[in-house]
mmCIF file of all heavy atoms in Angstrom:
data_model
loop_
_atom_site.group_PDB
_atom_site.id
_atom_site.type_symbol
_atom_site.label_atom_id
_atom_site.label_comp_id
_atom_site.label_asym_id
_atom_site.label_seq_id
_atom_site.Cartn_x
_atom_site.Cartn_y
_atom_site.Cartn_z
ATOM 1 N N TYR X 1 73.086 76.059 149.763
ATOM 2 C CA TYR X 1 74.246 75.322 150.269
ATOM 3 C C TYR X 1 73.920 74.483 151.510
ATOM 4 O O TYR X 1 74.345 73.323 151.580
ATOM 5 C CB TYR X 1 75.422 76.263 150.514
ATOM 6 C CG TYR X 1 75.916 76.925 149.243
ATOM 7 C CD1 TYR X 1 76.003 78.306 149.142
ATOM 8 C CD2 TYR X 1 76.282 76.172 148.134
ATOM 9 C CE1 TYR X 1 76.448 78.912 147.972
ATOM 10 C CE2 TYR X 1 76.724 76.770 146.960
ATOM 11 C CZ TYR X 1 76.811 78.143 146.886
ATOM 12 O OH TYR X 1 77.247 78.742 145.736
ATOM 13 N N PRO X 2 73.162 75.013 152.468
ATOM 14 C CA PRO X 2 72.790 74.152 153.608
ATOM 15 C C PRO X 2 71.958 72.935 153.179
ATOM 16 O O PRO X 2 72.136 71.836 153.724
ATOM 17 C CB PRO X 2 71.989 75.084 154.523
ATOM 18 C CG PRO X 2 72.504 76.446 154.205
ATOM 19 C CD PRO X 2 72.790 76.411 152.716
ATOM 20 N N ALA X 3 71.079 73.115 152.203
ATOM 21 C CA ALA X 3 70.276 71.977 151.723
ATOM 22 C C ALA X 3 71.171 70.918 151.101
ATOM 23 O O ALA X 3 70.933 69.718 151.282
ATOM 24 C CB ALA X 3 69.223 72.460 150.720
ATOM 25 N N LEU X 4 72.174 71.336 150.397
ATOM 26 C CA LEU X 4 73.106 70.376 149.801
ATOM 27 C C LEU X 4 73.893 69.641 150.873
ATOM 28 O O LEU X 4 74.153 68.439 150.742
ATOM 29 C CB LEU X 4 74.048 71.076 148.816
ATOM 30 C CG LEU X 4 73.377 71.703 147.595
ATOM 31 C CD1 LEU X 4 74.399 72.440 146.743
ATOM 32 C CD2 LEU X 4 72.635 70.664 146.781
ATOM 33 N N GLN X 5 74.251 70.351 151.929
ATOM 34 C CA GLN X 5 74.977 69.704 153.029
ATOM 35 C C GLN X 5 74.097 68.662 153.724
ATOM 36 O O GLN X 5 74.591 67.638 154.188
ATOM 37 C CB GLN X 5 75.475 70.735 154.043
ATOM 38 C CG GLN X 5 76.535 71.683 153.497
ATOM 39 C CD GLN X 5 77.767 70.973 152.975
ATOM 40 O OE1 GLN X 5 78.292 70.056 153.606
ATOM 41 N NE2 GLN X 5 78.222 71.369 151.793
ATOM 42 N N ARG X 6 72.804 68.910 153.768
ATOM 43 C CA ARG X 6 71.866 67.981 154.424
ATOM 44 C C ARG X 6 71.339 66.911 153.475
ATOM 45 O O ARG X 6 70.575 66.041 153.897
ATOM 46 C CB ARG X 6 70.664 68.760 154.976
ATOM 47 C CG ARG X 6 70.968 69.707 156.104
ATOM 48 C CD ARG X 6 69.683 70.293 156.693
ATOM 49 N NE ARG X 6 68.809 70.901 155.696
ATOM 50 C CZ ARG X 6 68.809 72.180 155.347
ATOM 51 N NH1 ARG X 6 69.658 73.011 155.908
ATOM 52 N NH2 ARG X 6 67.965 72.644 154.442
ATOM 53 N N SER X 7 71.736 66.949 152.228
ATOM 54 C CA SER X 7 71.130 66.089 151.208
ATOM 55 C C SER X 7 71.442 64.609 151.371
ATOM 56 O O SER X 7 70.739 63.768 150.818
ATOM 57 C CB SER X 7 71.574 66.543 149.815
ATOM 58 O OG SER X 7 72.946 66.220 149.607
ATOM 59 N N GLY X 8 72.507 64.280 152.061
ATOM 60 C CA GLY X 8 72.908 62.889 152.169
ATOM 61 C C GLY X 8 73.760 62.428 150.991
ATOM 62 O O GLY X 8 74.212 61.293 150.957
ATOM 63 N N ASP X 9 73.982 63.306 150.035
ATOM 64 C CA ASP X 9 74.816 63.013 148.875
ATOM 65 C C ASP X 9 76.165 63.693 149.106
ATOM 66 O O ASP X 9 76.306 64.903 148.930
ATOM 67 C CB ASP X 9 74.139 63.549 147.610
ATOM 68 C CG ASP X 9 74.895 63.236 146.325
ATOM 69 O OD1 ASP X 9 76.140 63.135 146.363
ATOM 70 O OD2 ASP X 9 74.225 63.115 145.279
ATOM 71 N N ALA X 10 77.165 62.890 149.500
ATOM 72 C CA ALA X 10 78.471 63.444 149.869
ATOM 73 C C ALA X 10 79.131 64.171 148.702
ATOM 74 O O ALA X 10 79.760 65.216 148.889
ATOM 75 C CB ALA X 10 79.380 62.338 150.398
ATOM 76 N N THR X 11 78.987 63.643 147.505
ATOM 77 C CA THR X 11 79.593 64.275 146.328
ATOM 78 C C THR X 11 78.959 65.637 146.079
ATOM 79 O O THR X 11 79.651 66.627 145.838
ATOM 80 C CB THR X 11 79.431 63.378 145.083
ATOM 81 O OG1 THR X 11 80.044 62.117 145.363
ATOM 82 C CG2 THR X 11 80.065 64.005 143.867
ATOM 83 N N LEU X 12 77.646 65.695 146.165
ATOM 84 C CA LEU X 12 76.938 66.950 145.961
ATOM 85 C C LEU X 12 77.260 67.943 147.082
ATOM 86 O O LEU X 12 77.428 69.142 146.829
ATOM 87 C CB LEU X 12 75.434 66.692 145.887
ATOM 88 C CG LEU X 12 74.562 67.794 145.329
ATOM 89 C CD1 LEU X 12 75.012 68.224 143.947
ATOM 90 C CD2 LEU X 12 73.118 67.338 145.286
ATOM 91 N N ALA X 13 77.369 67.459 148.301
ATOM 92 C CA ALA X 13 77.720 68.328 149.423
ATOM 93 C C ALA X 13 79.110 68.939 149.218
ATOM 94 O O ALA X 13 79.309 70.137 149.449
ATOM 95 C CB ALA X 13 77.662 67.558 150.732
ATOM 96 N N ARG X 14 80.068 68.125 148.761
ATOM 97 C CA ARG X 14 81.422 68.634 148.493
ATOM 98 C C ARG X 14 81.412 69.646 147.346
ATOM 99 O O ARG X 14 82.077 70.677 147.418
ATOM 100 C CB ARG X 14 82.379 67.493 148.153
ATOM 101 C CG ARG X 14 82.954 66.786 149.350
ATOM 102 C CD ARG X 14 84.117 65.874 148.974
ATOM 103 N NE ARG X 14 83.768 64.882 147.974
ATOM 104 C CZ ARG X 14 83.180 63.709 148.227
ATOM 105 N NH1 ARG X 14 82.877 63.373 149.472
ATOM 106 N NH2 ARG X 14 82.902 62.869 147.242
ATOM 107 N N LEU X 15 80.662 69.338 146.311
ATOM 108 C CA LEU X 15 80.564 70.258 145.179
ATOM 109 C C LEU X 15 79.970 71.591 145.627
ATOM 110 O O LEU X 15 80.462 72.663 145.262
ATOM 111 C CB LEU X 15 79.724 69.641 144.059
ATOM 112 C CG LEU X 15 79.625 70.435 142.760
ATOM 113 C CD1 LEU X 15 80.996 70.622 142.114
ATOM 114 C CD2 LEU X 15 78.672 69.733 141.795
ATOM 115 N N GLY X 16 78.911 71.517 146.429
ATOM 116 C CA GLY X 16 78.305 72.740 146.953
ATOM 117 C C GLY X 16 79.286 73.541 147.787
ATOM 118 O O GLY X 16 79.367 74.769 147.666
ATOM 119 N N GLN X 17 80.059 72.869 148.625
ATOM 120 C CA GLN X 17 81.054 73.554 149.457
ATOM 121 C C GLN X 17 82.121 74.210 148.591
ATOM 122 O O GLN X 17 82.531 75.333 148.840
ATOM 123 C CB GLN X 17 81.703 72.578 150.438
ATOM 124 C CG GLN X 17 82.611 73.256 151.445
ATOM 125 C CD GLN X 17 81.857 74.217 152.343
ATOM 126 O OE1 GLN X 17 80.884 73.838 152.980
ATOM 127 N NE2 GLN X 17 82.291 75.463 152.400
ATOM 128 N N GLN X 18 82.534 73.508 147.544
ATOM 129 C CA GLN X 18 83.536 74.060 146.632
ATOM 130 C C GLN X 18 83.006 75.310 145.932
ATOM 131 O O GLN X 18 83.692 76.329 145.861
ATOM 132 C CB GLN X 18 83.937 73.015 145.596
ATOM 133 C CG GLN X 18 84.943 73.517 144.586
ATOM 134 C CD GLN X 18 85.208 72.492 143.485
ATOM 135 O OE1 GLN X 18 84.737 71.360 143.530
ATOM 136 N NE2 GLN X 18 85.948 72.905 142.491
ATOM 137 N N PHE X 19 81.779 75.233 145.441
ATOM 138 C CA PHE X 19 81.202 76.400 144.769
ATOM 139 C C PHE X 19 81.024 77.553 145.745
ATOM 140 O O PHE X 19 81.265 78.712 145.397
ATOM 141 C CB PHE X 19 79.869 76.036 144.097
ATOM 142 C CG PHE X 19 80.029 75.606 142.672
ATOM 143 C CD1 PHE X 19 80.367 74.299 142.356
ATOM 144 C CD2 PHE X 19 79.854 76.504 141.638
ATOM 145 C CE1 PHE X 19 80.521 73.899 141.041
ATOM 146 C CE2 PHE X 19 80.008 76.116 140.307
ATOM 147 C CZ PHE X 19 80.347 74.812 140.013
ATOM 148 N N GLN X 20 80.626 77.260 146.969
ATOM 149 C CA GLN X 20 80.463 78.313 147.966
ATOM 150 C C GLN X 20 81.808 78.956 148.291
ATOM 151 O O GLN X 20 81.918 80.187 148.329
ATOM 152 C CB GLN X 20 79.818 77.752 149.235
ATOM 153 C CG GLN X 20 79.473 78.822 150.247
ATOM 154 C CD GLN X 20 78.730 78.261 151.445
ATOM 155 O OE1 GLN X 20 78.825 77.073 151.765
ATOM 156 N NE2 GLN X 20 77.977 79.108 152.112
ATOM 157 N N ASP X 21 82.828 78.135 148.493
ATOM 158 C CA ASP X 21 84.160 78.665 148.793
ATOM 159 C C ASP X 21 84.708 79.491 147.637
ATOM 160 O O ASP X 21 85.305 80.546 147.849
ATOM 161 C CB ASP X 21 85.128 77.529 149.123
ATOM 162 C CG ASP X 21 84.793 76.807 150.421
ATOM 163 O OD1 ASP X 21 83.997 77.339 151.232
ATOM 164 O OD2 ASP X 21 85.331 75.696 150.614
ATOM 165 N N ASP X 22 84.518 79.003 146.414
ATOM 166 C CA ASP X 22 85.020 79.705 145.232
ATOM 167 C C ASP X 22 84.342 81.052 145.028
ATOM 168 O O ASP X 22 84.916 81.959 144.435
ATOM 169 C CB ASP X 22 84.819 78.854 143.972
ATOM 170 C CG ASP X 22 85.708 77.626 143.922
ATOM 171 O OD1 ASP X 22 86.661 77.521 144.725
ATOM 172 O OD2 ASP X 22 85.435 76.749 143.077
ATOM 173 N N MET X 23 83.111 81.176 145.506
ATOM 174 C CA MET X 23 82.359 82.409 145.284
ATOM 175 C C MET X 23 82.848 83.547 146.168
ATOM 176 O O MET X 23 82.703 84.722 145.800
ATOM 177 C CB MET X 23 80.856 82.153 145.529
ATOM 178 C CG MET X 23 79.966 83.294 145.102
ATOM 179 S SD MET X 23 80.107 83.597 143.325
ATOM 180 C CE MET X 23 79.672 85.317 143.253
ATOM 181 N N GLY X 24 83.450 83.237 147.305
ATOM 182 C CA GLY X 24 83.882 84.276 148.241
ATOM 183 C C GLY X 24 84.699 85.387 147.602
ATOM 184 O O GLY X 24 84.334 86.573 147.685
ATOM 185 N N PRO X 25 85.814 85.054 146.945
ATOM 186 C CA PRO X 25 86.621 86.117 146.328
ATOM 187 C C PRO X 25 85.900 86.850 145.202
ATOM 188 O O PRO X 25 86.114 88.049 145.008
ATOM 189 C CB PRO X 25 87.847 85.370 145.782
ATOM 190 C CG PRO X 25 87.885 84.066 146.513
ATOM 191 C CD PRO X 25 86.465 83.747 146.885
ATOM 192 N N ILE X 26 85.056 86.149 144.479
ATOM 193 C CA ILE X 26 84.305 86.793 143.392
ATOM 194 C C ILE X 26 83.315 87.794 143.984
ATOM 195 O O ILE X 26 83.194 88.919 143.508
ATOM 196 C CB ILE X 26 83.594 85.739 142.519
ATOM 197 C CG1 ILE X 26 84.629 84.820 141.850
ATOM 198 C CG2 ILE X 26 82.701 86.414 141.471
ATOM 199 C CD1 ILE X 26 84.035 83.583 141.199
ATOM 200 N N ALA X 27 82.615 87.380 145.027
ATOM 201 C CA ALA X 27 81.654 88.277 145.678
ATOM 202 C C ALA X 27 82.359 89.479 146.283
ATOM 203 O O ALA X 27 81.860 90.613 146.189
ATOM 204 C CB ALA X 27 80.883 87.518 146.756
ATOM 205 N N GLN X 28 83.505 89.253 146.869
ATOM 206 C CA GLN X 28 84.264 90.355 147.466
ATOM 207 C C GLN X 28 84.718 91.340 146.391
ATOM 208 O O GLN X 28 84.619 92.559 146.572
ATOM 209 C CB GLN X 28 85.464 89.792 148.228
ATOM 210 C CG GLN X 28 86.203 90.807 149.043
ATOM 211 C CD GLN X 28 87.292 90.156 149.887
ATOM 212 O OE1 GLN X 28 87.752 89.053 149.612
ATOM 213 N NE2 GLN X 28 87.712 90.857 150.914
ATOM 214 N N ALA X 29 85.198 90.820 145.268
ATOM 215 C CA ALA X 29 85.618 91.690 144.163
ATOM 216 C C ALA X 29 84.429 92.480 143.619
ATOM 217 O O ALA X 29 84.542 93.681 143.337
ATOM 218 C CB ALA X 29 86.266 90.862 143.052
ATOM 219 N N PHE X 30 83.280 91.825 143.488
ATOM 220 C CA PHE X 30 82.102 92.525 142.991
ATOM 221 C C PHE X 30 81.659 93.609 143.963
ATOM 222 O O PHE X 30 81.293 94.717 143.549
ATOM 223 C CB PHE X 30 80.936 91.573 142.706
ATOM 224 C CG PHE X 30 79.747 92.312 142.185
ATOM 225 C CD1 PHE X 30 79.684 92.680 140.855
ATOM 226 C CD2 PHE X 30 78.726 92.697 143.035
ATOM 227 C CE1 PHE X 30 78.603 93.421 140.373
ATOM 228 C CE2 PHE X 30 77.643 93.436 142.572
ATOM 229 C CZ PHE X 30 77.581 93.795 141.236
ATOM 230 N N ASP X 31 81.680 93.309 145.254
ATOM 231 C CA ASP X 31 81.284 94.298 146.254
ATOM 232 C C ASP X 31 82.177 95.537 146.167
ATOM 233 O O ASP X 31 81.678 96.665 146.187
ATOM 234 C CB ASP X 31 81.333 93.691 147.657
ATOM 235 C CG ASP X 31 80.781 94.624 148.704
ATOM 236 O OD1 ASP X 31 79.626 95.081 148.567
ATOM 237 O OD2 ASP X 31 81.519 94.916 149.675
ATOM 238 N N GLY X 32 83.472 95.329 146.033
ATOM 239 C CA GLY X 32 84.385 96.457 145.881
ATOM 240 C C GLY X 32 84.099 97.247 144.614
ATOM 241 O O GLY X 32 84.100 98.490 144.619
ATOM 242 N N PHE X 33 83.843 96.534 143.533
ATOM 243 C CA PHE X 33 83.496 97.168 142.260
ATOM 244 C C PHE X 33 82.244 98.036 142.428
ATOM 245 O O PHE X 33 82.224 99.200 142.014
ATOM 246 C CB PHE X 33 83.257 96.074 141.205
ATOM 247 C CG PHE X 33 82.609 96.557 139.948
ATOM 248 C CD1 PHE X 33 83.358 97.153 138.950
ATOM 249 C CD2 PHE X 33 81.241 96.393 139.751
ATOM 250 C CE1 PHE X 33 82.759 97.593 137.777
ATOM 251 C CE2 PHE X 33 80.637 96.827 138.590
ATOM 252 C CZ PHE X 33 81.395 97.438 137.597
ATOM 253 N N ALA X 34 81.212 97.474 143.043
ATOM 254 C CA ALA X 34 79.953 98.208 143.212
ATOM 255 C C ALA X 34 80.139 99.437 144.096
ATOM 256 O O ALA X 34 79.531 100.488 143.844
ATOM 257 C CB ALA X 34 78.884 97.282 143.792
ATOM 258 N N ARG X 35 80.975 99.315 145.103
ATOM 259 C CA ARG X 35 81.230 100.473 145.975
ATOM 260 C C ARG X 35 82.040 101.560 145.268
ATOM 261 O O ARG X 35 81.835 102.746 145.514
ATOM 262 C CB ARG X 35 81.959 100.035 147.241
ATOM 263 C CG ARG X 35 81.101 99.227 148.173
ATOM 264 C CD ARG X 35 81.942 98.705 149.346
ATOM 265 N NE ARG X 35 81.205 97.746 150.124
ATOM 266 C CZ ARG X 35 80.456 98.046 151.176
ATOM 267 N NH1 ARG X 35 80.349 99.302 151.567
ATOM 268 N NH2 ARG X 35 79.818 97.104 151.831
ATOM 269 N N ARG X 36 82.955 101.148 144.408
ATOM 270 C CA ARG X 36 83.797 102.123 143.691
ATOM 271 C C ARG X 36 83.026 102.893 142.630
ATOM 272 O O ARG X 36 83.321 104.059 142.370
ATOM 273 C CB ARG X 36 84.976 101.416 143.005
ATOM 274 C CG ARG X 36 86.162 101.180 143.875
ATOM 275 C CD ARG X 36 87.363 100.671 143.093
ATOM 276 N NE ARG X 36 87.148 99.393 142.428
ATOM 277 C CZ ARG X 36 87.187 98.206 143.041
ATOM 278 N NH1 ARG X 36 87.404 98.132 144.343
ATOM 279 N NH2 ARG X 36 86.992 97.103 142.353
ATOM 280 N N TRP X 37 82.067 102.253 141.993
ATOM 281 C CA TRP X 37 81.472 102.824 140.785
ATOM 282 C C TRP X 37 79.978 103.080 140.913
ATOM 283 O O TRP X 37 79.251 103.011 139.936
ATOM 284 C CB TRP X 37 81.749 101.901 139.598
ATOM 285 C CG TRP X 37 83.204 101.633 139.417
ATOM 286 C CD1 TRP X 37 83.852 100.453 139.631
ATOM 287 C CD2 TRP X 37 84.201 102.570 139.013
ATOM 288 N NE1 TRP X 37 85.193 100.602 139.379
ATOM 289 C CE2 TRP X 37 85.432 101.888 138.993
ATOM 290 C CE3 TRP X 37 84.174 103.918 138.662
ATOM 291 C CZ2 TRP X 37 86.624 102.508 138.646
ATOM 292 C CZ3 TRP X 37 85.369 104.536 138.316
ATOM 293 C CH2 TRP X 37 86.571 103.832 138.304
ATOM 294 N N ASN X 38 79.495 103.428 142.094
ATOM 295 C CA ASN X 38 78.059 103.602 142.288
ATOM 296 C C ASN X 38 77.589 105.044 142.192
ATOM 297 O O ASN X 38 76.455 105.352 142.530
ATOM 298 C CB ASN X 38 77.609 102.980 143.612
ATOM 299 C CG ASN X 38 78.253 103.639 144.811
ATOM 300 O OD1 ASN X 38 78.982 104.611 144.692
ATOM 301 N ND2 ASN X 38 77.980 103.089 145.984
ATOM 302 N N THR X 39 78.463 105.933 141.717
ATOM 303 C CA THR X 39 78.034 107.312 141.493
ATOM 304 C C THR X 39 78.484 107.771 140.106
ATOM 305 O O THR X 39 79.542 107.376 139.613
ATOM 306 C CB THR X 39 78.608 108.303 142.537
ATOM 307 O OG1 THR X 39 80.022 108.416 142.355
ATOM 308 C CG2 THR X 39 78.278 107.865 143.968
ATOM 309 N N ALA X 40 77.676 108.626 139.515
ATOM 310 C CA ALA X 40 78.003 109.167 138.185
ATOM 311 C C ALA X 40 79.306 109.960 138.229
ATOM 312 O O ALA X 40 80.102 109.910 137.283
ATOM 313 C CB ALA X 40 76.852 110.032 137.683
ATOM 314 N N GLU X 41 79.554 110.665 139.329
ATOM 315 C CA GLU X 41 80.770 111.477 139.435
ATOM 316 C C GLU X 41 82.021 110.611 139.354
ATOM 317 O O GLU X 41 82.981 110.960 138.664
ATOM 318 C CB GLU X 41 80.772 112.277 140.747
ATOM 319 C CG GLU X 41 79.673 113.314 140.852
ATOM 320 C CD GLU X 41 78.302 112.705 141.196
ATOM 321 O OE1 GLU X 41 78.237 111.620 141.822
ATOM 322 O OE2 GLU X 41 77.296 113.308 140.787
ATOM 323 N N ARG X 42 82.011 109.491 140.061
ATOM 324 C CA ARG X 42 83.185 108.595 140.024
ATOM 325 C C ARG X 42 83.381 108.022 138.625
ATOM 326 O O ARG X 42 84.509 107.903 138.152
ATOM 327 C CB ARG X 42 83.018 107.458 141.033
ATOM 328 C CG ARG X 42 83.156 107.915 142.456
ATOM 329 C CD ARG X 42 83.072 106.733 143.400
ATOM 330 N NE ARG X 42 82.887 107.217 144.753
ATOM 331 C CZ ARG X 42 82.251 106.547 145.697
ATOM 332 N NH1 ARG X 42 81.757 105.351 145.451
ATOM 333 N NH2 ARG X 42 82.130 107.057 146.909
ATOM 334 N N LEU X 43 82.292 107.666 137.986
ATOM 335 C CA LEU X 43 82.383 107.125 136.634
ATOM 336 C C LEU X 43 82.949 108.160 135.667
ATOM 337 O O LEU X 43 83.824 107.846 134.852
ATOM 338 C CB LEU X 43 81.005 106.648 136.159
ATOM 339 C CG LEU X 43 80.475 105.403 136.877
ATOM 340 C CD1 LEU X 43 78.968 105.307 136.728
ATOM 341 C CD2 LEU X 43 81.158 104.163 136.339
ATOM 342 N N ARG X 44 82.447 109.391 135.757
ATOM 343 C CA ARG X 44 82.918 110.450 134.860
ATOM 344 C C ARG X 44 84.375 110.812 135.124
ATOM 345 O O ARG X 44 85.099 111.212 134.213
ATOM 346 C CB ARG X 44 82.047 111.688 135.003
ATOM 347 C CG ARG X 44 80.706 111.561 134.348
ATOM 348 C CD ARG X 44 79.948 112.891 134.318
ATOM 349 N NE ARG X 44 78.578 112.647 133.980
ATOM 350 C CZ ARG X 44 77.557 112.651 134.852
ATOM 351 N NH1 ARG X 44 77.767 112.920 136.131
ATOM 352 N NH2 ARG X 44 76.334 112.408 134.456
ATOM 353 N N SER X 45 84.813 110.677 136.385
ATOM 354 C CA SER X 45 86.188 111.068 136.715
ATOM 355 C C SER X 45 87.219 110.038 136.254
ATOM 356 O O SER X 45 88.391 110.377 136.102
ATOM 357 C CB SER X 45 86.335 111.324 138.216
ATOM 358 O OG SER X 45 86.272 110.105 138.934
ATOM 359 N N ASP X 46 86.795 108.817 136.008
ATOM 360 C CA ASP X 46 87.753 107.783 135.590
ATOM 361 C C ASP X 46 87.063 106.731 134.720
ATOM 362 O O ASP X 46 86.949 105.558 135.099
ATOM 363 C CB ASP X 46 88.384 107.122 136.823
ATOM 364 C CG ASP X 46 89.526 106.178 136.477
ATOM 365 O OD1 ASP X 46 89.940 106.128 135.295
ATOM 366 O OD2 ASP X 46 90.003 105.474 137.384
ATOM 367 N N PRO X 47 86.614 107.131 133.535
ATOM 368 C CA PRO X 47 85.893 106.174 132.691
ATOM 369 C C PRO X 47 86.730 104.959 132.287
ATOM 370 O O PRO X 47 86.223 103.843 132.237
ATOM 371 C CB PRO X 47 85.471 106.998 131.473
ATOM 372 C CG PRO X 47 86.275 108.238 131.515
ATOM 373 C CD PRO X 47 86.699 108.456 132.923
ATOM 374 N N GLN X 48 88.029 105.166 132.041
ATOM 375 C CA GLN X 48 88.863 104.026 131.659
ATOM 376 C C GLN X 48 89.101 103.096 132.844
ATOM 377 O O GLN X 48 89.121 101.877 132.689
ATOM 378 C CB GLN X 48 90.206 104.485 131.074
ATOM 379 C CG GLN X 48 90.982 103.350 130.438
ATOM 380 C CD GLN X 48 90.188 102.636 129.340
ATOM 381 O OE1 GLN X 48 89.628 103.268 128.448
ATOM 382 N NE2 GLN X 48 90.118 101.316 129.401
#
């Protein structure tokens, strides 16, 4: 993303910023998922 911001291509820089911004909630959701389900005991206690 920093390379895209420095690229001199305004369209590409905006696209990179959009993709970076859009990833925030996805990354946060994944982090929560990984924290919730990182043990066999938790998985066995609530498979559904």
